[in-house]
DNA sequence: CCTAGTGTTTGACGAGCATCAAACTGTTGC
DNA sequence: GCAACAGTTTGATGCTCGTCAAACACTAGG
């Protein structure tokens, strides 16, 4: 058991701003971003993400969009996948953007 | 000649983050944002915006999306419309977001 | 007036997207 | 092995979006 695999994701230098904004320009994926903002790893279960109303395949689709945009990373461990924010990579590529988004998002829904 | 009219736009408090990100999650509208980043007013002519390849009705559509999202404001003066960034409003609603976006966008296309 | 200029609106079309359901892959544990 | 589990993939459906073209509205200048 060397180390867990990761699902394919763009290199930090290849993260595209418009693609990231497009990925976050959806209420479900913004909800996911806020869930991931704690820096921890999260499973893909809709009930763990406040998305009980969505089918698991729909959630899987949204997580794929976030991962392919470079927003999240997915670690494969057995039959579970653990998703987390690529905070370091995003901060390096777009300094201040993630902080501004995370500060703005709760205010927007309040 | 009292004062020029403005096209309808959301109040500052009604600007929605996801709507803004959705508006900016398109390459054409990101180009427009960068044009507007100088703080000046711009006409709607595609050739003034580096969008010669697009039909004027398409540009008009994109500018409507930006205005309805709360990103820009449009002043009507005679047969011209002058579009500019709502920088003060955006900074008040989402502090740091616009600065981060404008800093990130050129780096992304470089 | 009449014409030219600036920009919007409408209609149409193709592409993409969000969603669900069902089938499928791989894993854990009995 | 086998059944339960976690998540993905595929197919289908309806909706949204980006684009163009043509028609329209309004203004400015002769």
């Amino acid at each position: 058991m060397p180390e867990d695999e990761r699902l394919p994701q763009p290199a930090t230098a290849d993260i595209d701003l418009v693609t990231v904004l497009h990925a976050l320009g959806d209420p479900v994926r913004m909800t996911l971003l806020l869930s991931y903002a704690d820096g921890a790893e999260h499973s893909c279960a809709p009930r763990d993400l406040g998305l009980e109303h969505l089918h698991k395949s729909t959630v899987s689709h949204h997580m794929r969009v976030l991962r392919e945009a470079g927003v999240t990373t997915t670690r494969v461990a057995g039959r579970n996948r653990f998703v987390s924010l690529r905070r370091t990579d995003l901060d390096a590529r777009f300094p201040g953007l993630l902080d501004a988004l995370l500060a703005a998002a709760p205010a927007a829904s309040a």
Side-chain angles (χ1 to χ4, degrees), chain A:
Chain A
M1 188 204 73
E3 51 195 32
D4 295 333
E5 287 183 12
R6 286 193 179 269
L7 263 40
Q9 64 184 36
T12 303
D14 292 339
I15 299 178
D16 177 62
L17 177 64
V18 172
T19 303
V20 168
L21 296 182
H22 178 263
L24 298 180
D26 175 277
V28 171
R29 292 192 290 263
M30 179 57 69
T31 299
L32 289 172
L33 177 75
L34 293 180
S35 295
Y36 300 150
D38 62 3
E41 292 184 318
H42 293 76
S43 85
C44 302
R47 66 182 171 286
D48 295 347
L49 299 162
L51 298 174
E52 301 85 353
H53 55 107
L54 289 180
H55 199 274
K56 61 178 180 174
S57 64
T58 302
V59 175
S60 180
H61 159 71
H62 285 301
M63 294 198 301
R64 192 209 307 222
V65 172
L66 287 175
R67 175 170 44 81
E68 292 182 342
V71 176
T72 59
T73 186
T74 301
R75 181 171 62 90
V76 179
R79 66 184 172 190
N80 298 307
R81 278 101 198 271
F82 294 105
V83 180
S84 56
L85 248 190
R86 292 179 64 179
R87 185 185 285 268
T88 303
D89 294 339
L90 289 170
D91 285 346
R93 182 103 177 94
F94 308 126
L97 180 59
L98 195 53
D99 287 340
L101 287 174
L102 294 179
S109 47

